[in-house]
Amino acid sequence: MIEIPPKHSGITPIGPIPKSDKQLKLHNDWSKANGLAEDVRRYGIWIKGQVYKRLENLYPQIEITAEEAKNRPELKPLIGEKLTVIAWIWARTVRSPNPAFSHVEVPLTTTFYISSKATREAYIEPIIDGDKYHFVVHTGKPTDIESVKSGTKLARGANFKCLLSGTPIDSKYIKSEGLAGRIGSRLLAIITEGPKGKIYLSPTEQHEEIVRQANPNWKPNLALPDDPRNFWTLNYGLGNYGDLFTPRQLVALSTFSEVIQEARTKIDSDIAKHTEKNKDQKYNGYSEAICVYLALAVGRCANYWSSLTPWGGDFIVQTFGRNAIPMIWDHAEGNPFSSSTGNWLGAIDWINRVLKFAIPANSPGHSTQFDAQTQTISKNKVISTDPPYYDNISYSDLSDFFYIWLRHVLKPIIPELFQTLSTPKGEELIAQPYRQGGKEASETFFLNGMTIAMTNIANQANKAFPVTIYYAFKQSKTNEAGTASTGWETFLEAVLNAGFYITGTWPLRTERDQGLKTGTNALASSIILVCRMRESDALSISRREFQRELKEAMPEALEDMIGGKEGMSPIAPVDLAQAAIGPGMAVFSKYEAVIEADGQKMTVHTALTLINKEIDDYFGGQSFDADTNFCISWFEENDWRAGQFGQADILSRAKGTTVDGVKEAGVIESGAGRVRLLKYSEYPADWDPGKDNRTPAWESLHQLIRAIQSEGETAAGILLARMPERGESIRQLSYRLYTLCERNGWAEDARPYNELIAAWHEVEKISHEVGHTGSQIEMNLQ
């Protein structure tokens, strides 16, 4: 990204023009990295053709038979047609623990659904015949949806049931079978390319048998680390990186790797032919450059061609849906030669687009690797850095998944980069108990190393500018002592030990809310710590003075964050707890020390706890109308569940209202001695705040959430325009309820409040437009 594209910018591609290119443009734009990107594409296509010649027998098409089409009318026009497979769906198997069926390998599958999308439903039916079984794929809605949904799964974790007898198969049994090498696999279904989209077919013995014939001539031989937090396969007998791939996947990955090395010779030959006419120094090292990008394509394919990739209903889910290597029971094995999910040219296309559209390639660049604790390259520079997040991610261990394939491809081409069998581990600045001798030792290792690194940065940074540090590490849940986390405490302690004074924090959108993060309570931003060197003559203050300053500073800072400064959107609730550390730590860190009553220096842990208490007090101290105050307390106690009328009656009187009054407001259901808060989805869509004589802030907020969830931001903006005077209380209440949910670990309940604030700037903008233009926007929407 930094060095290679500028070096080869503005060149004319020399690769073989694919036959699939119908017509070349007379005037192509080969500026910047476009020519390089085009050659990556051309040689990627050439490599696919070469590999297909060698592996065609391992990736056969499947013929639609009359038997398959018997109960599938949509397949009858395709009888005799051969279709390209997109993916094979497999389930792992173990021998049944039931003595009567102990000779049978039964499937461990989390679902029999292939697709649950309306109008495109498809599912697998197991057909049992004594001690034998096979699978048949059907389209349409199943009669027993629950059994299809659950497959042979009984509970969370590795808990299944025997398909033949219903006998429970617990995790201990599965682990023992895995460690004994007795976990197998069974083909569940085949997904193909059809004339009008995907076609789901029953498995065949031929396609299952072909896989058994795959015999890789190379297999990664690197042990997985004994890190149960991030590597979950070891307990099931998958203890080596090579074990994470099926034999056919190993054949495919190693063959693509070998053909890339062969491609280097072809690229050099094509360069020689081209430069006979055009002496261009930009082609020096060009074959190595293209091979680097082709090797990255192999890594991208490894991410989709492992046995840890579930079928996502319409696509293959990558191995790294999270920063860990999970244990997957049923997986989709992609076809490198299809034109759908997980194919080789898909990986090439991503790299081609990055080179063309995302990399400027305007001026030369240079990258250098140094240890942060000893480096000197930052001397007198403006520094913005993204350090490791304590114990959040096992960077080097996880990188080995890709390193083994990069090394296999590129070691003959760039040997100096791949001298070690795996990535270096010893100096990696993360807290890793299994590597560093336990939890306390790993915390000390991180604190000492990070302090040295931060001190080194502080001493060398240009003093005219602040140092900015990215940190996307979520605080732990609240307990009785308050809210904090070892990751934040240890990191902040290292920063302060280096002599830094934290002048503020602010979130910057860096996280992609997609895949497994979607709808979760994950941070949407990295938190930027803005740091300057603490004054050499900084004073010390008492705990009482520190708390007094916090109470003065925090409300104004929080109001800036949730109100949104001019031209800026409010901080989303999911980011607030992290961002609010800034103004609190600004007070704490500008002093040499905060002295406790016993004369000891206040710890970062205590400071964070006090800062978070001020945040809670800020939101908890806000008072709304009586009905809303009742709803907040009832929600905190019961969530959306029904509670006893007697308790609700006592609470309502204490809040200055009545149960009947809150019911009249339309926000609770009361009857048969039970009281329940209505969810936003139960609110009437035709609600008009102008005609409602009793409208608590609770109702206004949840009506706005209903509008944005069901109809979008425009509808929410129109609704807000009808009650502009309630906007501030709605916004404040949304933060309050998000904080309440987050503290209780109610991630799904917290999500709508976070989404409303994330969209608040646009919703408010639309509401103002409606106010200025009358009902025109509303009429357009209708």
Side-chain angles (χ1 to χ4, degrees):
M1 292 174 67
I2 294 173
E3 294 185 358
I4 296 175
K7 184 179 178 182
H8 303 292
S9 65
I11 67 165
T12 302
I14 47 91
I17 298 171
K19 294 179 181 178
S20 57
D21 288 6
K22 294 181 180 179
Q23 185 176 353
L24 283 177
K25 295 179 181 178
L26 294 176
H27 301 287
N28 288 289
D29 176 14
W30 302 129
S31 64
K32 298 183 180 180
N34 290 347
L36 174 63
E38 174 63 12
D39 266 341
V40 170
R41 185 185 76 90
R42 291 184 186 181
Y43 285 107
I45 293 172
W46 180 85
I47 287 168
K48 176 191 173 184
Q50 296 299 308
V51 175
Y52 184 69
K53 291 175 185 177
R54 305 179 192 191
L55 303 185
E56 182 179 4
N57 63 317
L58 284 180
Y59 292 93
Q61 293 182 309
I62 185 168
E63 183 176 337
I64 303 297
T65 64
E67 179 67 23
E68 181 76 30
K70 184 185 297 182
N71 297 312
R72 300 268 302 273
E74 78 278 10
L75 295 182
K76 289 183 179 178
L78 299 175
I79 292 175
E81 293 279 336
K82 291 187 176 181
L83 304 179
T84 298
V85 176
I86 293 171
W88 293 265
I89 310 298
W90 297 87
R92 300 190 196 275
T93 61
V94 293
R95 292 183 180 181
S96 173
N98 186 312
F101 299 99
S102 60
H103 60 293
V104 183
E105 293 187 358
V106 293
L108 309 175
T109 178
T110 58
T111 184
F112 283 126
Y113 254 124
I114 304 173
S115 173
S116 58
K117 287 187 176 180
T119 73
R120 295 179 57 189
E121 287 180 308
Y123 63 96
I124 301 159
E125 180 190 8
I127 307 296
I128 300 170
D129 181 15
D131 62 353
K132 295 182 174 59
Y133 64 91
H134 66 278
F135 299 106
V136 175
V137 169
H138 301 281
T139 54
K141 191 180 291 290
T143 54
D144 188 350
I145 293 176
E146 288 306 313
S147 64
V148 170
K149 273 185 181 179
S150 58
T152 61
K153 199 94 164 62
L154 282 181
R156 290 186 62 187
N159 291 284
F160 295 84
K161 65 180 178 182
C162 171
L163 180 67
L164 303 179
S165 64
T167 302
I169 309 175
D170 64 22
S171 59
K172 288 184 180 179
Y173 177 81
I174 295 173
K175 288 174 182 176
S176 66
E177 289 295 285
L179 292 172
R182 290 194 291 267
I183 289 184
S185 62
R186 186 72 181 259
L187 187 59
L188 298 177
I190 299 173
I191 302 168
T192 71
E193 298 173 351
K196 297 180 181 180
K198 295 180 179 66
I199 293 177
Y200 310 106
L201 300 174
S202 304
T204 69
E205 289 184 11
Q206 176 204 8
H207 276 251
E208 194 158 7
E209 182 56 35
I210 284 171
V211 176
R212 316 292 184 203
Q213 298 170 6
N215 185 23
N217 56 20
W218 185 83
K219 177 180 179 179
N221 187 26
L222 179 67
L224 290 161
D226 187 14
D227 175 11
R229 177 173 174 174
N230 297 293
F231 293 82
W232 307 347
T233 64
L234 279 76
N235 287 333
Y236 303 99
L238 307 180
N240 190 292
Y241 279 96
D243 298 334
L244 306 181
F245 305 90
T246 69
R248 179 161 60 179
Q249 288 171 334
L250 289 171
V251 170
L253 287 166
S254 58
T255 305
F256 273 100
S257 301
E258 291 156 10
V259 174
I260 289 171
Q261 294 168 7
E262 296 171 14
R264 184 192 181 190
T265 304
K266 175 170 178 54
I267 297 167
D268 284 333
S269 174
D270 292 342
I271 290 170
K273 293 175 186 175
H274 179 80
T275 54
E276 284 178 6
K277 303 175 184 178
N278 180 14
K279 299 295 182 184
D280 191 339
Q281 296 300 311
K282 288 187 176 182
Y283 288 100
N284 291 343
Y286 192 55
S287 61
E288 290 89 343
I290 293 176
C291 287
V292 165
Y293 294 114
L294 295 172
L296 292 174
V298 171
R300 186 173 179 85
C301 287
N303 194 21
Y304 287 89
W305 299 352
S306 82
S307 65
L308 305 174
T309 55
W311 178 248
D314 205 37
F315 58 91
I316 296 172
V317 178
Q318 62 176 309
T319 302
F320 284 92
R322 55 172 61 88
N323 292 312
I325 290 183
M327 184 62 191
I328 299 297
W329 300 105
D330 31 26
H331 72 98
E333 182 184 12
N335 182 355
F337 310 108
S338 81
S339 58
S340 188
T341 176
N343 71 86
W344 165 256
L345 290 184
I348 294 292
D349 181 59
W350 272 100
I351 295 169
N352 171 272
R353 283 190 280 163
V354 168
L355 286 169
K356 285 175 67 175
F357 303 120
I359 295 179
N362 290 328
S363 57
H366 181 66
S367 60
T368 306
Q369 180 180 338
F370 277 108
D371 186 334
Q373 299 177 65
T374 58
Q375 58 83 20
T376 59
I377 58 172
S378 67
K379 190 172 182 62
N380 204 33
K381 301 290 195 306
V382 179
I383 300 170
S384 184
T385 184
D386 186 8
Y389 301 151
Y390 190 61
D391 62 349
N392 245 15
I393 303 170
S394 296
Y395 301 93
S396 61
D397 286 329
L398 294 168
S399 294
D400 282 337
F401 181 93
F402 298 98
Y403 179 86
I404 54 177
W405 293 108
L406 281 173
R407 187 174 189 271
H408 187 53
V409 179
L410 294 177
K411 188 173 185 294
I413 299 171
I414 317 175
E416 64 273 15
L417 283 183
F418 298 95
Q419 295 177 11
T420 58
L421 292 174
S422 65
T423 59
K425 306 290 191 301
E427 294 175 318
E428 182 181 21
L429 198 47
I430 61 171
Q432 194 63 285
Y434 89 92
R435 188 190 298 160
Q436 291 146 359
K439 185 177 179 180
E440 289 186 10
S442 67
E443 185 176 335
T444 301
F445 174 85
F446 179 85
L447 175 60
N448 292 343
M450 190 59 72
T451 299
I452 294 170
M454 286 296 155
T455 302
N456 191 28
I457 288 173
N459 291 338
Q460 296 187 63
N462 189 311
K463 299 303 183 283
F465 301 92
V467 171
T468 52
I469 306 170
Y470 289 61
Y471 210 63
F473 190 95
K474 201 170 191 306
Q475 292 194 74
S476 301
K477 295 178 182 177
T478 298
N479 56 29
E480 292 179 1
T483 302
S485 73
T486 303
W488 265 106
E489 292 165 20
T490 311
F491 177 70
L492 286 172
E493 190 172 347
V495 171
L496 300 187
N497 287 347
F500 276 126
Y501 153 42
I502 298 171
T503 64
T505 54
W506 205 260
L508 184 69
R509 293 286 164 181
T510 59
E511 306 303 307
R512 185 173 180 231
D513 184 23
Q514 197 164 333
L516 291 179
K517 279 189 176 182
T518 304
T520 68
N521 203 20
L523 284 179
S525 307
S526 292
I527 305 304
I528 313 302
L529 304 180
V530 185
C531 307
R532 288 186 182 272
M533 291 303 294
R534 188 185 305 112
E535 296 295 333
S536 59
D537 58 351
L539 302 174
S540 295
I541 62 170
S542 68
R543 178 187 178 110
R544 181 174 296 178
E545 289 171 314
F546 171 56
Q547 287 180 290
R548 184 171 61 248
E549 280 200 51
L550 274 185
K551 288 187 181 297
E552 292 173 356
M554 289 299 289
E556 183 179 350
L558 288 167
E559 183 54 38
D560 281 344
M561 290 179 176
I562 69 175
K565 290 186 176 180
E566 186 175 351
M568 298 183 67
S569 298
I571 290 179
V574 71
D575 297 321
L576 185 63
Q578 322 309 118
I581 288 172
M585 289 307 297
V587 176
F588 179 75
S589 62
K590 71 181 180 181
Y591 293 105
E592 176 64 26
V594 175
I595 306 301
E596 297 277 18
D598 61 0
Q600 298 294 314
K601 287 185 176 182
M602 180 180 286
T603 64
V604 171
H605 171 82
T606 301
L608 282 176
T609 302
L610 293 173
I611 291 166
N612 282 296
K613 183 178 183 302
E614 289 299 321
I615 298 171
D616 290 344
D617 288 349
Y618 173 80
F619 288 111
Q622 295 167 337
S623 183
F624 299 91
D625 56 87
D627 290 348
T628 297
N629 289 334
F630 163 81
C631 291
I632 293 169
S633 297
W634 189 255
F635 181 63
E636 186 172 16
E637 182 69 25
N638 298 286
D639 194 6
W640 303 107
R641 300 182 302 272
Q644 295 293 330
F645 177 88
Q647 293 175 336
D649 183 51
I650 294 170
L651 178 62
S652 66
R653 294 177 189 278
K655 298 297 181 181
T657 185
T658 64
V659 173
D660 286 343
V662 181
K663 182 179 180 181
E664 180 186 338
V667 296
I668 64 169
E669 178 183 76
S670 176
R674 307 285 286 174
V675 174
R676 179 180 69 86
L677 285 166
L678 297 175
K679 292 187 176 182
Y680 66 84
S681 56
E682 298 177 273
Y683 282 43
D686 59 352
W687 179 70
D688 185 347
K691 298 178 180 179
D692 191 339
N693 295 325
R694 186 164 183 158
T695 308
W698 183 277
E699 181 181 24
S700 301
L701 166 63
H702 290 88
Q703 278 286 3
L704 210 58
I705 289 175
R706 177 201 57 75
I708 200 170
Q709 293 286 333
S710 61
E711 301 173 70
E713 293 174 355
T714 300
I718 291 170
L719 186 58
L720 183 60
R722 296 176 183 169
M723 49 178 182
E725 73 286 352
R726 299 173 193 169
E728 182 62 19
S729 60
I730 290 171
R731 185 172 60 82
Q732 294 278 0
L733 180 58
S734 193
Y735 276 102
R736 171 78 177 275
L737 294 178
Y738 175 84
T739 303
L740 190 156
C741 293
E742 197 272 341
R743 295 288 193 257
N744 285 286
W746 302 340
E748 190 57 33
D749 289 337
R751 181 181 56 78
Y753 305 116
N754 186 65
E755 290 176 352
L756 175 62
I757 296 301
W760 186 260
H761 185 74
E762 186 63 25
V763 170
E764 198 170 40
K765 177 184 173 184
I766 292 169
S767 75
H768 290 160
E769 290 174 358
V770 173
H772 290 148
T773 61
S775 59
Q776 187 60 47
I777 291 179
E778 186 170 357
M779 290 172 62
N780 290 341
L781 181 67
Q782 292 171 349

